[in-house]
Amino acid sequence: MGIKAPVFPGYTPITSRIFIRNEKAASGSETRRSGGAATDPTTILVYGWGDGSPKHVSKYSEGYHALFPSARIVVIINPIFAAATHTLPKRTESMLPIIDTFFPNKDDGSERVIMHIMSNTGGIYAAATLNAYRERHGQDATLPHQLCVSDSTPGSLNFVSEVWRWSRAMAMGVPKWFPLPFKFTQALCAAFLCLVNYLAIAVGIEPSGPHSARIFTEHAFATPKALRLFCYSKEDDLIYWEDLEEQAANARDKGYTTVLEEFKGSPHVGHMRMHPEQYWGTILRCWKDAMKADDKP
């Protein structure tokens, strides 16, 4: 049975949620990647925000292609419902095709990787990818990457104070034909998130949001060699800037090199749309800095 995937012109589906940009045969892919500069990334993993459509998330992969035309670019589409309800083994299983297809062997130092994570839902599945790499290559293995870009994530991990904002993000993904007014839909989403959260706690399962934030500051999962770039704005109504800065400071205290880049006036995951030159210029600068750091003995 073929892969049932959304229409995504110019991209080849690996699963119904994982796509590679214009990938041909493996040999052709390797030839294109070898044509880039010795410091260009070989693979870029783009984790879309919750319920982000391929049409919108692909704007980021196209931006990366303009910067690094020889890189292999993988796009991961992430539904909020699955992020909220699936257990870690299920989330990890959904990301294993990334490891099996693009990182089938344990890191030998040849890969140069960017992880680009958007919003908390993207972070949940990026964390699942870190876990999938360890499952395939051993508990001493960490997914190779030199730069981790966090766009509008992470925020506060306090469920009680955050659930109303999270429910708003979830309600925004509800189909337009749903008959209830938005506030009622949001209230239903908030009730659902409360149910899922407290059921998980009751049976001893760490909720997906806190889990993803935690393992991204654990060296056994996320390599401390990677530079961390946090993109945010003070106008983001889903992820408060104070919370994001606190999370960045926590990563710095755990031994990660961090860069904070503020964007003026842009909404949640809207920084690239409103400030494309600043956005891509910052990413390119941080990539060059990460390569310099990677060259140090």
Side-chain angles (χ1 to χ4, degrees):
M1 183 180 295
I3 297 170
K4 186 178 181 181
V7 177
F8 201 171
Y11 292 74
T12 301
I14 305 303
T15 72
S16 62
R17 291 176 47 199
I18 301 169
F19 303 83
I20 184 166
R21 186 191 187 282
N22 293 329
E23 182 74 349
K24 304 299 182 183
S27 59
S29 171
E30 292 301 321
T31 299
R32 284 197 305 278
R33 289 199 292 148
S34 64
T39 56
D40 281 0
T42 54
T43 303
I44 302 170
L45 304 174
V46 179
Y47 294 85
W49 59 92
D51 296 329
S53 69
K55 174 183 176 181
H56 294 125
V57 177
S58 66
K59 290 180 171 63
Y60 293 81
S61 53
E62 294 307 306
Y64 272 115
H65 179 69
L67 288 181
F68 308 112
S70 66
R72 177 172 56 188
I73 303 174
V74 183
V75 176
I76 302 96
I77 303 301
N78 301 304
I80 293 178
F81 182 84
T85 59
H86 288 177
T87 61
L88 176 59
K90 187 71 173 178
R91 298 193 305 271
T92 300
E93 180 184 1
S94 68
M95 295 297 102
L96 278 172
I98 294 176
I99 310 305
D100 294 338
T101 305
F102 307 112
F103 305 97
N105 302 310
K106 193 172 181 179
D107 179 37
D108 62 0
S110 63
E111 287 283 358
R112 300 182 298 276
V113 180
I114 297 175
M115 297 185 77
H116 189 104
I117 303 165
M118 288 178 279
S119 197
N120 285 350
T121 304
I124 287 168
Y125 282 99
T129 307
L130 299 182
N131 197 57
Y133 191 87
R134 281 163 54 94
E135 283 207 359
R136 278 291 185 259
H137 298 306
Q139 297 302 296
D140 63 336
T142 56
L143 178 73
H145 62 288
Q146 287 75 22
L147 175 62
C148 180
V149 181
S150 294
D151 181 330
S152 308
T153 187
S156 171
L157 302 179
N158 186 315
F159 179 82
V160 174
S161 67
E162 298 301 304
V163 64
W164 189 244
R165 276 184 277 168
W166 295 343
S167 66
R168 181 172 175 270
M170 191 174 194
M172 290 169 68
V174 172
K176 293 181 179 179
W177 53 257
F178 195 70
L180 294 179
F182 184 81
K183 286 294 184 183
F184 286 93
T185 303
Q186 185 178 358
L188 287 176
C189 290
F192 172 76
L193 290 173
C194 286
L195 176 64
V196 170
N197 182 75
Y198 292 117
L199 277 176
I201 292 173
V203 298
I205 296 175
E206 185 179 25
S208 57
H211 172 267
S212 64
R214 176 178 61 81
I215 73 166
F216 259 103
T217 57
E218 292 190 6
H219 294 193
F221 286 89
T223 174
K225 297 179 181 178
L227 187 151
R228 299 282 182 89
L229 168 61
F230 295 87
C231 301
Y232 71 110
S233 80
K234 293 183 178 179
E235 289 72 27
D236 190 334
D237 62 348
L238 293 181
I239 299 292
Y240 286 170
W241 65 272
E242 299 97 332
D243 297 328
L244 187 145
E245 287 189 350
E246 182 179 340
Q247 293 291 341
N250 180 51
R252 185 168 58 251
D253 291 344
K254 296 290 183 67
Y256 294 89
T257 301
T258 63
V259 175
L260 282 161
E261 183 73 11
E262 181 184 347
F263 295 82
K264 302 292 186 182
S266 47
H268 189 66
V269 295
H271 317 313
M272 187 274 286
R273 186 175 70 252
M274 286 189 65
H275 306 284
E277 291 186 7
Q278 179 187 358
Y279 194 86
W280 293 115
T282 300
I283 288 174
L284 183 58
R285 184 186 76 244
C286 286
W287 176 253
K288 290 178 178 178
D289 289 345
M291 286 294 93
K292 291 176 185 176
D294 198 50
D295 285 339
K296 292 180 181 179

